[in-house]
Amino acid sequence: MGGRKAGIRAGAAISCVLLLGGCGGAGNNGSARHEPVTVAKAPAQLPVPRGKGSKSADDFNGDGLRDLVLNDLVKSPDDAHGDDAGIGIVYGTGAGAGTTHGLAPGARQLLNPARQAARTKGRSPAVFDAEASCDLDRDGFTDLVVSTDPPYDGQGRPPVPLQILFGSPAGLTGRAVELVIPAAARAGNDWPDQPVCGDFDGDGAEDLVVHASDGRLSYLRGPFTRKGAPRAAGKPLPSPGTVPTGPALDVNRDGYDDLLVRTAEGPATSALVLGGPAGPTRTGTALPNGIDVVLGPFGRGSALDAAVGSMDGTSLRYDLPTAVRDSISTPGSVLDAGDFDGDGVSELVSSGAELRILRGRTTGLSATGMVTVPPPARGTTRVLTVADFTGDGRADLVVRTYDGETKDTVAVYAGSKEALVTAKPTVTFSTSEFLGMDS
C-alpha cells in the first residue's frame, strides 16, 4: 500500500519515524533492570470500565481517562512469523474516589482482524494496524482508524484500505466499517492512506485528511456516519508533500487545526499546511531536511515551536509560523514532546543511543538539567507515546523495549514536577499478555 506506515502516535508530537536506536546505560538516578512480565505473571484480566462519554483524547470507553493503543504485538515462539496478531488496547482505570488513575494492564482488549475487521469479498484482512484516533461521530467516545490489506489485482484505482472501529461505553466493540472516500475526493491510483484527524475547518467536528497522490490530499469533513461516510468531501487539495503526518495541532492559534506534510518518509523536508474555513488549503512554514519533526510550546511566544531531528543529531528549534529562533545540539534524531513537570512549557524527548529529555523553559529549550531515562529492560527501546495517563496535568512517558519478536517490555514513566519523570517505571507489562485472548 505504497509503503506508507506511520502508525498511531498520541500526544503533541508530529513524526513519521517511530523506530529508535537502542537505549543503553543508566539514568541520572540509576535504576534496576525490569524484566518483561510473562503470561504466567500477567495480571488477571479485568472488565473494561464503562464510561458515559468524554472529550478526553484516546478515550475509547468514554470514562474520562486516556487509553493506550499497541501495534505489533509480540508473538508466541511457536508462531513468530505468523499473521498479524491484532491491536492491543490497555484502558485507563481509577476514576473512583481514593484510587490511582492510570493505565491498568489487566483492563486489556485484543482487537483481532478475524473478529473486528470488515470483510472484503468475504475475506478478513491479514493486516490490521492502528493509524489514527479521534471522535469521528461526535458521540463522546474516541474511534480508531485502522489500516488493512483488501484484495487488489493491481488494475486501476485500488480500494480504500482504511476502516473505522467506533468507541462505546464498553470500549472498541463490534465490527469495523470501511471508510468511505467519494471518488471525486480521490486523485490518481495511489492507495488512500496516512489518515490524520483534526478539526481543520473549525466547526467543532473532527475531520480526516488522507494521502490521495503525490501533491494531493483527500479532505473528508466530519462528523462521520456510523457507516463510515463523511459529512462532505470535495476535490483533492494541493499538498506540499506526499506524507500527511499527525497529530494535527492549531499551530498559529487561529482556531483551525494545522498539519505537517513531509515530502517522503525518512530524511525529508516538510511544511505546515494551515487550516481554515475551507479546510487545510494554505501551505505555511517550510522546515528543513530531517528524520523527525515534533511540535510543542518549548518556550516563549504564543505560537508553537518545531524541533527537527537531523541525521547529525542536531535539533533545530523554530518559532512558528515564521522565523528561525535558535538551535540546540543534542545526540538523537527521533523526537517527541510533552509537559512532564506541568509548568505549561513542553519538554523535548530526544532518542538515539540514549533516551534524553531536555527541559522546556520560558526562555526556550535547555540542556541544563537534562534527564537520561534508563531503559526498562535489555533490548532496543522505542518511544510509544508521551501523554497524560494519570490525569494529574503532567505528561507521562511510555516506552517499549524489544528483545526479539517474542519478548518485550512496555513501561510507563510518570511525569514528575521535580525530576521530569520517575526514576523507575510506575507500570510495566508485556504485550505477550494479549496472547490467547478471545476478545
Side-chain angles (χ1 to χ4, degrees):
M1 293 173 357
R4 283 181 282 272
K5 282 289 178 186
I8 188 169
R9 200 172 175 193
I14 289 184
S15 170
C16 71
V17 180
L18 296 179
L19 306 186
L20 308 188
C23 293
N28 292 344
N29 299 315
S31 176
R33 295 282 185 180
H34 289 254
E35 290 301 318
V37 177
T38 64
V39 175
K41 297 177 182 178
Q45 189 171 355
L46 301 172
V48 173
R50 294 187 66 87
K52 298 181 179 180
S54 80
K55 294 183 179 181
S56 299
D58 289 347
D59 183 10
F60 303 109
N61 58 333
D63 65 348
L65 297 172
R66 186 185 286 264
D67 310 314
L68 178 66
V69 182
L70 295 158
N71 279 323
D72 302 319
L73 308 178
V74 298
K75 301 175 181 179
S76 164
D78 298 328
D79 190 34
H81 302 289
D83 289 340
D84 190 344
I87 302 165
I89 308 292
V90 177
Y91 287 88
T93 62
T99 60
T100 301
H101 294 191
L103 293 172
R108 58 190 183 269
Q109 179 185 28
L110 176 64
L111 305 176
N112 184 287
R115 290 187 298 269
Q116 271 81 34
R119 294 187 177 94
T120 302
K121 297 182 179 180
R123 193 184 82 179
S124 294
V127 173
F128 203 56
D129 290 333
E131 295 285 355
S133 59
C134 56
D135 186 1
L136 291 170
D137 58 351
R138 300 187 73 176
D139 65 350
F141 302 92
T142 302
D143 311 308
L144 187 66
V145 183
V146 300
S147 182
T148 66
D149 59 340
Y152 175 54
D153 61 6
Q155 302 298 312
R157 179 169 285 178
V160 176
L162 302 174
Q163 301 184 5
I164 303 172
L165 276 164
F166 288 99
S168 75
L172 293 166
T173 59
R175 194 173 287 276
V177 301
E178 295 179 353
L179 174 66
V180 176
I181 303 180
R186 298 186 63 176
N189 290 332
D190 281 7
W191 286 93
D193 56 10
Q194 297 291 358
V196 177
C197 292
D199 181 9
F200 301 106
D201 57 6
D203 67 350
E206 291 288 335
D207 313 312
L208 279 177
V209 166
V210 177
H211 165 84
S213 67
D214 288 350
R216 291 290 185 271
L217 298 174
S218 294
Y219 172 46
L220 312 177
R221 292 179 183 257
F224 288 69
T225 70
R226 297 294 292 229
K227 293 183 179 180
R231 176 177 61 85
K235 294 181 180 179
L237 300 178
S239 169
T242 188
V243 186
T245 309
L249 299 167
D250 184 2
V251 173
N252 54 1
R253 311 298 197 196
D254 64 352
Y256 305 99
D257 280 344
D258 314 306
L259 77 153
L260 190 86
V261 177
R262 299 175 65 85
T263 55
E265 290 187 340
T269 57
S270 57
L272 287 170
V273 177
L274 304 177
T281 60
R282 298 170 294 149
T283 298
T285 306
L287 298 175
N289 191 71
I291 297 175
D292 203 359
V293 180
V294 65
L295 304 183
F298 296 124
R300 51 191 173 266
S302 59
L304 297 188
D305 309 305
V308 180
S310 64
M311 291 296 289
D312 61 4
T314 299
S315 298
L316 302 175
R317 178 181 165 272
Y318 288 73
D319 201 13
L320 299 177
T322 52
V324 176
R325 295 297 294 268
D326 55 45
S327 64
I328 294 178
S329 179
T330 180
S333 56
V334 181
L335 311 175
D336 215 314
D339 182 5
F340 294 106
D341 54 6
D343 66 353
V345 179
S346 286
E347 278 70 49
L348 177 67
V349 181
S350 178
S351 302
E354 290 185 307
L355 180 59
R356 297 177 172 91
I357 303 176
L358 282 73
R359 288 185 181 272
R361 306 182 188 276
T362 56
T363 55
L365 287 170
S366 173
T368 303
M370 181 174 62
V371 173
T372 302
V373 181
R378 293 180 177 86
T380 299
T381 299
R382 306 172 182 177
V383 174
L384 285 179
T385 188
V386 175
D388 181 7
F389 289 96
T390 60
D392 64 356
R394 295 190 291 267
D396 308 305
L397 174 65
V398 184
V399 304
R400 184 176 180 183
T401 297
Y402 293 82
D403 187 5
E405 294 185 346
T406 62
K407 190 176 182 181
D408 73 348
T409 300
V410 177
V412 181
Y413 295 84
S416 169
K417 184 176 181 179
E418 294 78 21
L420 296 185
V421 294
T422 52
K424 296 181 180 181
T426 54
V427 177
T428 309
F429 64 94
S430 170
T431 65
S432 63
E433 294 174 24
F434 292 94
L435 294 174
M437 291 183 64
D438 295 326
S439 61

